[in-house]
Amino acid sequence: MEKEKITLPIGSNKALIFEADPGDKESQDFAKLCKDVAATQPQSLQDFFTRLNDLQQKQSREVGRKQGRKI
């Protein structure tokens, strides 16, 4: 299966290319996170990865709360 190339713009003259495997749910989930972060228009690579980390931390806390409610 061919990988999907996702271009993530960073600032006005840079971009990251992520190759997501269409058959891998984790890869697709990560690609969605990256697209969400790129939509916030980070101006540097550091800003992109800081925002990505913040979004991942936020999601992991939400998952933890949801699982905690089930117990």
Side-chain angles (χ1 to χ4, degrees), residues 4-5 13 15 23 37 40-41 47 49-50 63 66-67:
E4 172 188 3
K5 287 190 179 185
N13 61 352
V37 171
T40 65
Q41 301 176 342
D47 192 22
F49 286 111
T50 299
V63 168
K66 288 179 183 177
Q67 289 176 347

Side-chain angles (χ1 to χ4, degrees), residues 1 3 7 9-10 14-15 24 45 49 57 59 61 66:
M1 213 179 284
K3 293 189 177 190
T7 303
I10 308 294
K14 295 180 214 101
D24 181 18
L45 289 172
F49 286 111
Q57 294 295 323
Q59 282 191 337
R61 283 192 303 263
K66 288 179 183 177

Side-chain angles (χ1 to χ4, degrees), residues 33-50:
L33 284 176
C34 289
K35 288 177 185 177
D36 291 346
V37 171
T40 65
Q41 301 176 342
Q43 294 302 305
S44 67
L45 289 172
Q46 181 177 1
D47 192 22
F48 175 86
F49 286 111
T50 299

Side-chain angles (χ1 to χ4, degrees), residues 47-71:
D47 192 22
F48 175 86
F49 286 111
T50 299
R51 293 178 190 194
L52 179 61
N53 183 55
D54 291 345
L55 185 58
Q56 288 175 320
Q57 294 295 323
K58 180 182 173 188
Q59 282 191 337
S60 69
R61 283 192 303 263
E62 288 174 2
V63 168
R65 270 191 241 139
K66 288 179 183 177
Q67 289 176 347
R69 291 180 190 157
K70 292 179 182 178
I71 293 175

